[in-house]
């Protein structure tokens, strides 16, 4: 692997920013140049959040353009659909099956689309869908959804598992490490 463009998309409060920090730390441990760019909508109110993570021997721009993402890691399925055009041909999708209604749906102004994951699977050959919320709950904390998904990502990238574990240890507060290690292992075990 000489370069990798990963987008992490989700809703404010899902831990996308922590996930991007862990991923950035993994890249640095592998002696890659890494650029992380975070774009926030109304994140504090459950709005869309996207983070671009680019790693290579030399990265010149932190932005991933349409059709350039090798992997999109989606923490919520409507966000997966929203950012689909950024995935390159032959890229991989990792989608959390969780549904979080946006404000327009809550207010009854719009309808949450049906069959999102099936639509994506119809277009993207390499789509992995995971129901990460109950897995995180079983590991001891529903907030560990992000690390369950990072476990799936770790397996998909082929990057040495120990590098990920070391990065989690350095990034996550000590009191939350055990839960996050369990969540990472659970996600890693799900990946094909």
């Amino acid at each position: 692997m000489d370069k990798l463009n990963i987008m992490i998309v989700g809703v404010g409060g899902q831990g996308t920013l922590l996930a991007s920090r862990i991923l950035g730390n993994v890249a640095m441990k592998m002696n890659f140049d890494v650029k992380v760019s975070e774009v926030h909508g109304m994140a504090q109110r459950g709005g869309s959040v996207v983070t671009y993570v680019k790693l290579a021997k030399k990265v010149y721009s932190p932005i991933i353009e349409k059709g350039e993402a090798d992997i999109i890691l989606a923490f919520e399925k409507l966000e997966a659909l929203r950012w689909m055009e950024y995935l390159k041909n032959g890229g991989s999708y990792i989608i959390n099956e969780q549904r979080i209604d946006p404000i327009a749906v809550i207010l009854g102004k719009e309808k949450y689309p049906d069959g999102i994951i099936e639509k994506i699977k119809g277009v993207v050959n390499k789509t992995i869908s995971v129901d990460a919320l109950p897995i995180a709950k079983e590991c001891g904390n529903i907030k560990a959804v992000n690390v369950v998904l990072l476990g799936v990502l770790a397996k998909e990238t082929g990057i040495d598992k120990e590098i990920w574990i070391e990065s989690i240890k350095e990034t996550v507060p000590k009191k939350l490490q055990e839960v996050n290690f369990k969540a990472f292992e659970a996600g890693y075990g799900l990946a094909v």
Side-chain angles (χ1 to χ4, degrees):
M1 176 182 72
D2 59 343
K3 74 178 186 85
L4 195 57
N5 294 332
I6 300 173
M7 287 180 65
I8 302 173
V9 302
V11 172
Q14 285 191 292
T16 59
L17 302 181
L18 176 61
S20 68
R21 284 196 296 274
I22 292 169
L23 178 56
N25 197 355
V26 166
M28 288 190 297
K29 288 182 172 306
M30 297 176 60
N31 295 316
F32 277 105
D33 185 15
V34 61
K35 300 279 189 283
V36 177
S37 177
E38 301 164 354
V39 179
H40 307 269
M42 296 285 284
Q44 70 277 17
R45 295 199 180 126
S48 182
V49 177
V50 61
T51 305
Y52 306 108
V53 182
K54 293 177 83 171
L55 54 119
K57 291 301 176 192
K58 185 66 185 154
V59 177
Y60 296 98
S61 167
I63 304 300
I64 297 172
E65 301 291 340
K66 292 178 182 176
E68 288 185 349
D70 297 296
I71 300 171
I72 296 179
L73 179 61
F75 284 34
E76 196 276 339
K77 57 189 179 178
L78 183 57
E79 292 301 314
L81 186 63
R82 184 174 302 190
W83 295 97
M84 201 164 129
E85 63 190 336
Y86 283 79
L87 189 67
K88 75 178 190 179
N89 287 336
S92 300
Y93 239 123
I94 301 168
I95 305 171
N96 182 17
E97 296 171 6
Q98 188 171 358
R99 171 182 169 164
I100 299 174
D101 289 350
I103 297 296
V105 172
I106 293 169
L107 296 175
K109 294 181 179 181
E110 292 181 22
K111 183 181 177 298
Y112 195 97
D114 293 325
I116 291 173
I117 294 174
E118 293 75 21
K119 288 176 189 172
I120 293 171
K121 285 182 175 181
V123 178
V124 180
N125 288 335
K126 183 70 178 198
T127 301
I128 302 165
S129 65
V130 177
D131 194 2
L133 187 61
I135 296 167
K137 186 176 183 179
E138 189 175 300
C139 291
N141 190 333
I142 60 170
K143 291 184 176 184
V145 163
N146 56 351
V147 182
V148 171
L149 295 168
L150 282 179
V152 178
L153 177 66
K155 188 78 171 262
E156 181 65 19
T157 63
I159 297 170
D160 184 2
K161 184 174 159 183
E162 293 308 313
I163 294 173
W164 288 90
I165 291 171
E166 191 61 34
S167 183
I168 292 167
K169 185 184 284 186
E170 291 175 6
T171 310
V172 173
K174 190 165 183 61
K175 66 181 179 180
L176 300 172
Q177 286 179 2
E178 195 56 43
V179 167
N180 282 280
F181 292 146
K182 284 181 192 174
F184 177 82
E185 291 290 350
Y188 195 87
L190 290 173
V192 184

